[in-house]
Amino acid sequence: MSKNHNKTGWSTPASEALRVSSLGPIASFDPESTPGFTGDKALGEQLLVERGEVLADLQELLYANGRSGDNRSVLLVLQGMDTAGKGGIVRHVGGLLDPQGLVIRGFGKPTPEELEHDFLWRIHKALPPAGRIGIFDRSHYEDVLPVRVHNLVPQAEWEKRYEMINQFERDLVETGTTVIKCCLVVSKDEQKVRLTERLNRPDKYWKYNPGDIDERGFWDQYLEAYQAIFDLTDNDSAPWHLIPANKKWFARLAVCELLVGALQGLDLDWPKADFDVETERKRVAALD
Ligand code: AMP
Ligand code: MG
């Protein structure tokens, strides 16, 4: 096994090396690091292409099985501070996949209609159907992030949400969805660089939100809220990973690798024909 991982540049499988429980508190996590990976940027970029092809093949298997009555699906949850690169993961890792098999959903401030329902209502509606890979750009965890930091609902209410989330994810996993949770971690310095870039480039103005500067003022409270999430909602059936995100090439490779691992774990095979292959061959051979 280790031989295989050396070949791919990984000294430890990504699912182990990046698991939040093996990395310690987010507050002392190094966003420049590349846990478990011994290669450099050039190798990382080359591997992303190679592993992307593996991922695409696995996705096709999942899709084929979904079309043949298998109810399994995969859900990738992306969280992280503003500018951490969630959109970049959607574009560069999601971009390796067949759009037909992907369901991408982003979650912003709840609409008045969404606020009339419980916080998981909009999440349920966005889940990937059988055979698909879902990517959530933000998620139900927002309901214990800005909501907790700013007490958008009373503490007595947001406190209960961790257990509600655990129950929700347990049900998801039991009904065939593999859940992978990733928190992209960018440093405060790197966030400043990225915010500056957004203001220096007219093609990036659309990403700039003046409110992000105000949220940056709550950096430590957000770190605490993330730590509470990891302490209360990381478990083997729906694990949390810390993805160092200062190096975009590594964040993309890491998430790709986690997806490959999750799909391989499903141990999928091509669905058997639900027709008699020999009979159909003869019928096709006999066509004019
Ligand atoms: P973006 O991801 O840049 O489109 O920004 C979406 C914004 O919506 C972020 O500031 C999120 O924190 C905010 N948001 C998402 N979900 C919630 C929620 N449940 N409650 C409050 N704010 C939220
Ligand atoms: Mg934003």
Side-chain angles (χ1 to χ4, degrees), residues 61-266:
L61 260 182
L62 179 69
Y63 190 79
N65 278 275
R67 292 289 297 265
S68 309
D70 188 321
N71 70 340
R72 284 177 294 177
S73 61
V74 171
L75 176 64
L76 172 68
V77 170
L78 297 177
Q79 285 290 160
M81 306 274 206
D82 299 309
T83 76
K86 301 180 290 295
I89 295 290
V90 172
R91 194 158 55 249
H92 294 276
V93 179
L96 301 166
L97 298 169
D98 183 342
Q100 283 188 93
L102 262 188
V103 178
I104 299 163
R105 294 283 182 272
F107 296 96
K109 285 197 173 60
T111 63
E113 188 191 20
E114 286 168 350
L115 283 173
E116 281 175 19
H117 296 82
D118 82 275
F119 75 102
L120 292 171
W121 181 73
R122 64 177 184 169
I123 304 295
H124 276 285
K125 290 199 304 177
L127 290 170
R132 311 297 167 87
I133 297 175
I135 305 181
F136 280 2
D137 177 348
R138 304 187 190 269
S139 67
H140 39 300
Y141 286 98
E142 290 293 312
D143 292 278
V144 284
L145 283 163
V147 171
R148 169 179 165 137
V149 168
H150 301 295
N151 277 304
L152 299 181
V153 302
Q155 176 165 353
E157 200 171 320
W158 59 250
E159 256 174 5
K160 285 191 253 166
R161 291 185 173 174
Y162 299 97
E163 194 36 47
M164 294 166 87
I165 288 172
N166 282 332
Q167 185 59 54
F168 164 68
E169 291 180 355
R170 267 197 298 274
D171 291 347
L172 255 187
V173 171
E174 262 170 38
T175 52
T177 302
T178 299
V179 179
I180 314 162
K181 300 180 290 195
C182 291
C183 175
L184 304 179
V185 186
V186 71
S187 67
K188 229 177 160 180
D189 287 348
E190 180 65 19
Q191 187 188 60
K192 184 174 174 186
V193 169
R194 293 181 186 182
L195 287 169
T196 307
E197 195 183 30
R198 287 181 181 183
L199 288 176
N200 285 341
R201 286 180 46 179
D203 62 318
K204 297 218 168 188
Y205 290 168
W206 67 276
K207 290 191 192 184
Y208 187 83
N209 172 8
D212 292 351
I213 307 301
D214 304 310
E215 289 312 287
R216 183 181 162 93
F218 295 90
W219 191 271
D220 292 343
Q221 288 93 322
Y222 271 101
L223 288 182
E224 273 174 41
Y226 269 110
Q227 192 58 50
I229 285 172
F230 305 142
D231 292 343
L232 298 169
T233 69
D234 171 57
N235 52 74
D236 289 346
S237 62
W240 267 111
H241 306 87
L242 291 182
I243 311 294
N246 276 19
K247 296 184 169 92
K248 291 178 181 174
W249 66 265
F250 180 73
R252 292 166 191 169
L253 176 68
V255 174
C256 175
E257 201 57 35
L258 289 173
L259 279 173
V260 167
L263 283 157
Q264 282 173 338
L266 297 181

Side-chain angles (χ1 to χ4, degrees), residues 1-21:
M1 196 159 118
S2 66
K3 218 163 138 207
N4 182 32
H5 284 105
N6 283 335
K7 235 177 28 192
T8 63
W10 293 90
S11 56
T12 311
S15 59
E16 282 172 37
L18 300 170
R19 183 76 182 268
V20 71
S21 49

